Amino acid sequence: MKKKHTGKKKQGNNQKIKKNGSGLNGAQKKKKVRQRMQLGLVLLSVILIALVVIKIVKPSLLTRNYFEMENDKVDASKPDIDVELLTVNPYSRPGTETGKIRGIVVHYTANPGATAIANRNYFEGLKDSHQTKSSSNFIVGIDGEIVQCVPTWEVAYASNERNIDTVSIECCHPDESGEFTEATYRSMVRLCAWLCLKFDLSQEDVIRHYDVTGKNCPKHFVENEKAWEGFREDIKKAIETAGDAA
């Protein structure tokens, strides 16, 4: 007589298949984990390489705080500057720290014939007169002299909402037209080029007060767009020349 099948043997075979199946799944999972780890290491290496390249080529991208470049180009391009800092006061030098410098703002004094030091002394006098709040980081005179009133890491009252992330330059002019003398123009170009190198900027980051508020300042560059474009182009050339001089 034939014995009836109880199904136990089949059940045992099924258990073996399940065990074998789970073993294959485990190996596949380990393989995927290894692949993910390898991919992660590759991505990490790419990120690290990218950060190194950025630090060399465009280091200012890695910070939101005040930042200055220090290299031979910066040193070689620095113009002569007469440092005559204002007294810290609420009306012209509040002592407020700037953030990362993202632009350079060009102004004109709207005070025909006045010298750089005379404009600087006007800013200084505001601490006593309380007439208004006004100042600038730099003033370029009619003879090309450059006076610094406020450190670049401090806010100057010049460019409205852009005071916190820009350096301001007031420029003297001989008459109502607002056109600059050749000496003033040359110093403006050199000062802007140096500041661009110092803060890892380009000539495109040099703007007018007009570009911030719509004010007719600097008058000559607002009313003569080609002159403004030429000024930026001269800054670009000065930046490139500074590299050769270093």
Side-chain angles (χ1 to χ4, degrees):
M1 179 182 289
K2 292 184 179 179
K3 293 183 179 180
K4 293 182 179 179
H5 294 289
T6 61
K8 290 182 179 180
K9 189 173 182 181
K10 187 181 286 187
Q11 186 177 359
N13 290 337
N14 287 339
Q15 288 176 349
K16 286 182 181 180
I17 292 170
K18 286 181 180 179
K19 287 181 180 180
N20 290 337
S22 63
L24 289 172
N25 287 337
Q28 289 174 345
K29 286 179 181 179
K30 288 180 181 180
K31 184 178 180 181
K32 286 183 178 180
V33 169
R34 285 197 300 269
Q35 288 175 338
R36 288 172 182 173
M37 288 179 64
Q38 289 171 351
L39 180 60
L41 289 173
V42 170
L43 290 174
L44 181 60
S45 299
V46 170
I47 291 170
L48 290 174
I49 292 170
L51 289 174
V52 171
V53 171
I54 290 171
K55 188 173 183 180
I56 295 171
V57 178
K58 197 76 173 174
S60 63
L61 290 176
L62 300 179
T63 181
R64 294 182 179 180
N65 300 322
Y66 181 87
F67 171 88
E68 290 185 10
M69 296 283 287
E70 295 181 2
N71 55 47
D72 291 340
K73 286 185 179 181
V74 176
D75 294 339
S77 63
K78 183 177 181 180
D80 292 330
I81 298 173
D82 180 14
V83 180
E84 299 285 348
L85 299 181
L86 304 175
T87 304
V88 176
N89 71 93
Y91 293 89
S92 54
R93 186 189 168 190
T96 305
E97 292 184 4
T98 60
K100 177 180 175 180
I101 299 300
R102 301 179 185 276
I104 300 159
V105 186
V106 177
H107 305 251
Y108 88 132
T109 63
N111 187 11
T115 63
I117 198 66
N119 280 283
R120 179 264 172 206
N121 291 340
Y122 166 74
F123 293 146
E124 177 69 13
L126 293 175
K127 75 180 190 301
D128 302 313
S129 70
H130 303 177
Q131 183 179 353
T132 187
K133 291 184 176 182
S134 182
S135 60
S136 184
N137 295 101
F138 298 92
I139 306 171
V140 181
I142 292 174
D143 295 324
E145 71 275 21
I146 301 172
V147 176
Q148 183 172 11
C149 305
V150 179
T152 54
W153 54 85
E154 289 184 20
V155 164
Y157 289 141
S159 307
N160 303 79
E161 66 268 19
R162 293 300 306 274
N163 288 334
I164 196 68
D165 69 346
T166 61
V167 172
S168 54
I169 305 173
E170 287 280 357
C171 304
C172 298
H173 49 99
D175 55 43
E176 294 286 349
S177 72
E179 188 170 358
F180 306 112
T181 66
E182 185 63 31
T184 301
Y185 185 88
R186 286 196 304 268
S187 290
M188 289 166 62
V189 168
R190 186 170 183 187
L191 179 58
C192 286
W194 173 63
L195 290 171
C196 282
L197 289 166
K198 184 177 182 179
F199 295 113
D200 201 18
L201 304 173
S202 76
Q203 76 281 357
E204 296 298 324
D205 300 305
V206 180
I207 61 175
R208 302 163 292 188
H209 193 185
Y210 167 81
D211 298 312
V212 180
T213 65
K215 182 178 180 179
N216 191 16
C217 174
K219 180 176 165 59
H220 179 63
F221 284 155
V222 173
E223 297 177 356
N224 298 273
E225 193 67 31
K226 286 186 178 180
W228 172 244
E229 292 172 1
F231 177 65
R232 275 178 153 186
E233 189 61 31
D234 286 339
I235 293 170
K236 179 181 179 182
K237 291 175 183 176
I239 292 171
E240 294 169 350
T241 302
D244 296 336

